[in-house]
Amino acid sequence: MEKTDFKELLKTSFLTAEVGMNGERMSEFHQIRKAALEDFLSLRVPTVKDEEWKYTNITPITGKKFTTDLPAASAGIAELQKFFFNIDKYLNIVFVNGRLNHELSGDLASLEGVTISTIKEAFVAKNPAAERYYNKTAELKGNIFAALNTSFVAEGLFIHIGKNVAAEKPLRIIYVQKNAENLMVSPRNLIVAEKGATLDLIESYSGLDQTSSLTNAVTEIYASENAQVNHIIVQEENHNSYYINNIEITQEGNSNYKSLNIALGSAIGRTNMSTRFTGQNSEATLNGLFIAGGTQLIDNHTMIDHAVPHCQSHELYKGVLGGKSRGVFNGKVMVRQDAQKTNAIQENKTILLSEEALIDTKPQLEIFADDVKCTHGATVGQLSEESLFYLKARGIGDQLARSILINAFADDLVNRIKLEDMRNYLEAKISARLS
Amino acid sequence: MIEIRNLRVNIEGKEILKGINLKINKGEVHAIMGPNGSGKSTLASVLAGRKEYEVTEGEVIFNGKNLLELSPEDRAREGVFLAFQYPVEIPGVSNTNLLKNALNEIKKYRGEVPLDAVEFLAHIKKKMALVELKQDLLSRSVNEGFSGGEKKRNEIFQMAVLEPKLGILDETDSGLDIDALRIVATGVNTLKSTENSFIVVTHYQRLLNYIVPDFVHVLYQGRIIKSGNKDLALELEDKGYDWVKDHINEFVMA
């Protein structure tokens, strides 16, 4: 069998696409793509021999021939209705097959102090924040999937929250694929919260059908001094699809970033999320929930970089694994030499519902400062027999008792969401996924 | 109500109950007393269906049904309620959630119409007053962060909500101060009727000042060695379990 060359194929796609670009070929935005393609081609495709990919074999992804021609699938409002609850309360931003769909999105100019456009448009408009921050996170360098994303970003999404602006509505970014067999989409988000800005951000990634696609996303978030960003990510790709997401957060002093990363779908789903403190008195909360069954593989790699003193981080990732599914949690908390008075808590808790489900968990603390408070831990287990018996002794049947306990375990993180309708929506979604 | 015949039970190969015979009629309260390790809690747990226990002999007939053949949930649905000695903390599951599900499962089993939200709330509010539980304990996770007394009162509260035919109180008095003890006892006494029965498992006599038993049984080394009326509890309190140990042969012979 002929082995497809993942890199060669994508290079050809890139060059073919470039021919049809006309003027865009000379744009600054495209120059960044081109440079990224060079990076992509120079980087090695990781294998399970690489420490960072030890438990996640990506040959099902790299062995596939992906097309990068984004089909202009029209998605009707009916298909998206499920995402659109309380439509007036949110600003919806909808991408279908990698392209921003204005008809399905709300009025992007409707929020005071908030600039929303594609990144491509922001470059054309010479938006200083876009030019200053786009693709600048140092940690993206050397990451082959980030380079791949940058090479193939069609438009990207740029969100800028002005100084001391509290975005009036939560932003709800909805990425969907349709008729997307073998399609690679490259969602790209650049979110800049200026000094004292506040933002609620919800992202969802899903397919509207069962076609097999690859979502290879990158999100860069800059939280300036005293900015607050609340971030919810819901990955519910169909089980034929693949998902890779690199999320990079940079936090200046007194900033607060909170995320809840929910992974329910995809055949293979890998998230790398990292935040680094560049200013003191900042706080980060990285929470996650992954639920997998069948032969799904969900991999979460996180990194919290305490580079400066007096910062706090809290991390709790919870997993529920059934069938023959596999989960990976690799969480690193780095406390650098200068980062005195760091306070870091990290935990991973997983429930295995079957004999064949498996979790590889690796919470790691690397501490180079001496005056810090750090804890980490991981627990893996089944449902508590004592709790099950207690519920049964009250007349609750085996199946319902199990479901109550699993839901309680999973809902714990969702319960902390302040947006009540979003909380209810996610609880229902999780409950459906678990049943 | 319930008849236990020659019940023998092992845990991990060790025989704990060595032939228990006990018959309880509707409307009766039976106290099971005995020193630590005599098998009191084993008896309570076996009736509720805890699976670590192996029944090697005997049978338990509950309202005409072979109780030991039923799953723990079906026993509860038939009307058996065990108030746990050590109530389990269940993070993330509220008391309300537990009780709503339990009540509906029981009603479904019995072919009754489940309560709607309004009826359910009215029902539990009435029962809460009985054990003087604070409203906020309803929405809190089951037993999580409850004090010892709150946990035991919560057990009695659940019992009141589920209205069992047979309530088994497994050392509900242990660790309770006198106020909590009084509240628990008042709860039980209010629930007591000519239609239901109670088994009160206890080490001490003091709970029996408040919940007055019709019969008292002394369990020792896996056997009921003496039965009597409420005066037996007072006698035990007075003379201590050594009295039982010292006179075991007389009791068994008698």
Side-chain angles (χ1 to χ4, degrees):
Chain A
M1 202 177 78
E2 194 196 351
K3 197 167 168 274
T4 56
D5 190 338
F6 183 63
K7 288 202 289 193
E8 275 307 309
L9 214 77
L10 287 162
K11 181 184 173 186
T12 309
S13 301
F14 185 92
L15 297 175
T16 311
E18 205 173 33
V19 173
M21 271 182 187
N22 301 325
E24 190 184 332
R25 208 183 329 178
M26 303 312 294
S27 70
E28 193 188 340
F29 189 63
H30 188 65
Q31 297 312 306
I32 298 173
R33 284 191 194 128
K34 274 178 87 164
L37 183 75
E38 290 307 313
D39 287 344
F40 168 68
L41 294 173
S42 72
L43 292 165
R44 205 170 45 79
V45 176
T47 71
V48 289
K49 287 177 188 154
D50 292 271
E51 188 60 30
E52 288 296 290
W53 293 88
K54 196 172 170 184
Y55 301 108
T56 299
N57 177 2
I58 50 166
T59 51
I61 300 174
T62 54
K64 244 183 134 154
K65 293 180 183 175
F66 287 106
T67 163
T68 56
D69 278 337
L70 304 175
S74 64
I77 189 130
E79 290 175 275
L80 290 162
Q81 207 60 51
K82 58 182 172 178
F83 302 108
F84 283 1
F85 57 90
N86 279 351
I87 195 157
D88 295 332
K89 217 185 114 182
Y90 294 85
L91 178 61
N92 289 333
I93 306 169
V94 181
F95 281 79
V96 181
N97 289 348
R99 290 190 194 279
L100 177 63
N101 186 315
H102 284 281
E103 280 167 42
L104 295 171
S105 303
D107 179 0
L108 302 187
S110 61
L111 301 183
E112 209 176 315
V114 179
T115 307
I116 302 171
S117 73
T118 66
I119 299 174
K120 200 162 94 175
E121 287 163 348
F123 267 81
V124 171
K126 300 214 168 294
N127 182 298
E131 289 182 330
R132 181 171 163 203
Y133 292 112
Y134 179 60
N135 204 36
K136 292 293 182 349
T137 314
E139 281 66 18
L140 292 176
K141 300 277 177 287
N143 179 328
I144 186 168
F145 288 103
L148 178 61
N149 171 281
T150 310
S151 324
F152 283 94
V153 176
E155 304 175 322
L157 174 64
F158 172 59
I159 296 170
H160 181 264
I161 316 293
K163 194 173 164 185
N164 293 328
V165 170
E168 294 155 59
K169 291 180 177 178
L171 303 186
R172 191 158 58 183
I173 311 172
I174 299 162
Y175 283 102
V176 292
Q177 285 90 251
K178 196 185 170 187
N179 299 331
E181 191 65 28
N182 292 331
L183 180 71
M184 179 180 84
V185 287
S186 307
R188 180 67 176 239
N189 304 307
L190 172 61
I191 289 127
V192 180
E194 296 288 359
K195 256 187 197 175
T198 306
L199 172 67
D200 277 306
L201 186 68
I202 300 120
E203 279 184 88
S204 74
Y205 294 87
S206 66
L208 294 179
D209 57 24
Q210 294 301 312
T211 49
S212 168
S213 62
L214 165 63
T215 294
N216 177 36
V218 171
T219 298
E220 290 171 277
I221 298 177
Y222 288 86
S224 310
E225 250 183 75
N226 205 26
Q228 274 189 48
V229 179
N230 293 322
H231 192 189
I232 299 171
I233 302 142
V234 188
Q235 186 270 97
E236 41 177 339
E237 300 284 2
N238 70 46
H239 291 197
N240 303 314
S241 291
Y242 305 100
Y243 169 89
I244 297 172
N245 199 349
N246 282 286
I247 303 161
E248 296 288 341
I249 305 108
T250 306
Q251 293 187 247
E252 292 184 1
N254 292 298
S255 64
N256 193 327
Y257 171 79
K258 282 195 175 84
S259 66
L260 175 57
N261 175 22
I262 302 174
L264 308 174
S266 76
I268 299 175
R270 163 72 176 249
T271 301
N272 295 327
M273 183 184 275
S274 72
T275 189
R276 67 204 56 79
F277 298 115
T278 62
Q280 302 193 14
N281 299 314
S282 292
E283 190 175 341
T285 305
L286 267 56
N287 289 337
L289 170 68
F290 49 102
I291 301 174
T295 55
Q296 281 183 281
L297 191 168
I298 304 287
D299 179 344
N300 286 298
H301 271 59
T302 67
M303 158 78 167
I304 300 170
D305 191 346
H306 285 266
V308 295
H310 292 286
C311 290
Q312 287 191 49
S313 66
H314 321 268
E315 179 172 29
L316 173 57
Y317 265 72
K318 285 186 149 191
V320 179
L321 302 174
K324 293 179 179 176
S325 68
R326 293 189 58 180
V328 180
F329 174 76
N330 184 315
K332 192 187 271 186
V333 176
M334 170 74 80
V335 182
R336 298 188 192 268
Q337 202 169 356
D338 287 343
Q340 301 298 355
K341 305 286 180 192
T342 286
N343 198 338
I345 302 169
Q346 185 197 48
E347 219 179 343
N348 169 225
K349 294 181 181 178
T350 309
I351 289 185
L352 300 178
L353 299 177
S354 74
E355 296 274 318
E356 288 171 291
L358 189 71
I359 174 87
D360 289 295
T361 177
K362 195 175 173 190
Q364 308 173 68
L365 271 174
E366 288 186 26
I367 304 176
F368 299 96
D370 50 22
D371 185 12
V372 300
K373 248 166 59 189
C374 300
T375 62
H376 71 154
T379 58
V380 180
Q382 282 82 37
L383 290 177
S384 149
E385 286 295 331
E386 268 303 296
S387 301
L388 272 176
F389 178 67
Y390 190 79
L391 295 180
K392 289 179 189 179
R394 298 297 175 253
I396 298 172
D398 185 70
Q399 221 181 347
L400 181 58
R402 285 178 192 279
S403 145
I404 288 172
L405 292 179
I406 298 165
N407 271 290
F409 175 81
D411 280 349
D412 164 39
L413 291 169
V414 174
N415 284 337
R416 304 178 197 183
I417 296 174
K418 288 207 178 76
L419 297 163
E420 193 187 349
D421 55 347
M422 190 52 71
R423 192 171 64 230
N424 294 337
Y425 167 77
L426 290 171
E427 271 176 15
K429 192 172 278 302
I430 285 161
S431 167
R433 178 71 186 90
L434 287 171
S435 66
Chain B
M1 176 70 67
I2 189 166
E3 189 170 355
I4 301 168
R5 296 181 194 140
N6 190 31
L7 183 66
R8 288 175 171 268
V9 174
N10 286 4
I11 304 177
E12 291 168 353
K14 189 172 176 240
E15 189 164 54
I16 306 293
L17 297 182
K18 300 168 182 172
I20 302 283
N21 291 289
L22 185 62
K23 189 176 176 197
I24 298 175
N25 296 311
K26 271 203 305 195
E28 292 177 354
V29 175
H30 289 238
I32 311 267
M33 299 185 70
N36 289 329
S38 58
K40 302 188 301 286
S41 284
T42 299
L43 179 61
S45 294
V46 145
L47 294 178
R50 204 183 267 281
K51 67 177 178 191
E52 305 85 287
Y53 299 86
E54 185 200 351
V55 176
T56 54
E57 215 180 311
E59 58 181 356
V60 179
I61 305 300
F62 180 69
N63 291 328
K65 291 200 168 128
N66 186 344
L67 192 73
L68 300 178
E69 284 181 353
L70 300 177
S71 64
E73 54 269 37
D74 279 352
R75 296 181 197 198
R77 294 160 180 172
E78 288 287 344
V80 175
F81 182 96
L82 172 66
F84 281 53
Q85 183 180 3
Y86 304 109
V88 182
E89 295 190 7
I90 311 184
V93 178
S94 71
N95 253 328
T96 315
N97 186 5
L98 165 75
L99 287 171
K100 197 190 282 167
N101 278 300
L103 208 52
N104 284 344
E105 290 267 282
I106 291 170
K107 288 198 176 283
K108 197 166 78 188
Y109 179 84
R110 294 177 187 169
E112 296 165 12
V113 185
L115 298 181
D116 66 30
V118 176
E119 292 167 333
F120 173 74
L121 263 177
H123 180 68
I124 56 171
K125 281 213 168 127
K126 195 170 77 192
K127 302 296 186 178
M128 275 181 82
L130 208 62
V131 285
E132 300 176 28
L133 268 182
K134 281 192 233 106
Q135 178 90 27
D136 73 313
L137 292 189
L138 275 183
S139 51
R140 274 169 53 189
S141 293
V142 176
N143 296 320
E144 196 182 34
F146 286 27
S147 70
E150 280 172 339
K151 281 182 184 172
K152 296 298 177 80
R153 267 150 64 192
N154 196 28
E155 293 293 291
I156 302 305
F157 166 59
Q158 291 179 12
M159 183 166 80
V161 170
L162 301 179
E163 299 178 326
K165 297 185 182 113
L166 174 67
I168 305 165
L169 276 57
D170 187 6
E171 305 214 12
T172 300
D173 53 333
S174 64
L176 287 191
D177 62 31
I178 198 71
D179 289 332
L181 193 73
R182 184 188 48 77
I183 292 167
V184 162
T186 308
V188 173
N189 287 331
T190 316
L191 294 173
K192 208 167 79 177
S193 78
T194 53
E195 292 304 306
N196 58 24
S197 315
F198 290 91
I199 297 175
V200 181
V201 172
T202 181
H203 187 84
Y204 302 105
Q205 185 271 339
R206 76 178 179 154
L207 177 65
L208 305 179
N209 286 334
Y210 300 92
I211 305 173
V212 181
D214 300 298
F215 298 93
V216 174
H217 310 278
V218 180
L219 191 62
Y220 183 64
Q221 292 184 342
R223 290 187 185 88
I224 291 176
I225 54 167
K226 194 170 174 62
S227 298
N229 62 15
K230 63 179 174 19
D231 296 334
L232 178 57
L234 291 170
E235 199 175 354
L236 267 176
E237 181 76 3
D238 194 32
K239 297 179 176 169
Y241 284 112
D242 284 341
W243 168 66
V244 176
K245 292 174 192 171
D246 295 344
H247 294 76
I248 178 155
N249 288 328
E250 296 163 38
F251 290 155
V252 174
M253 294 303 156

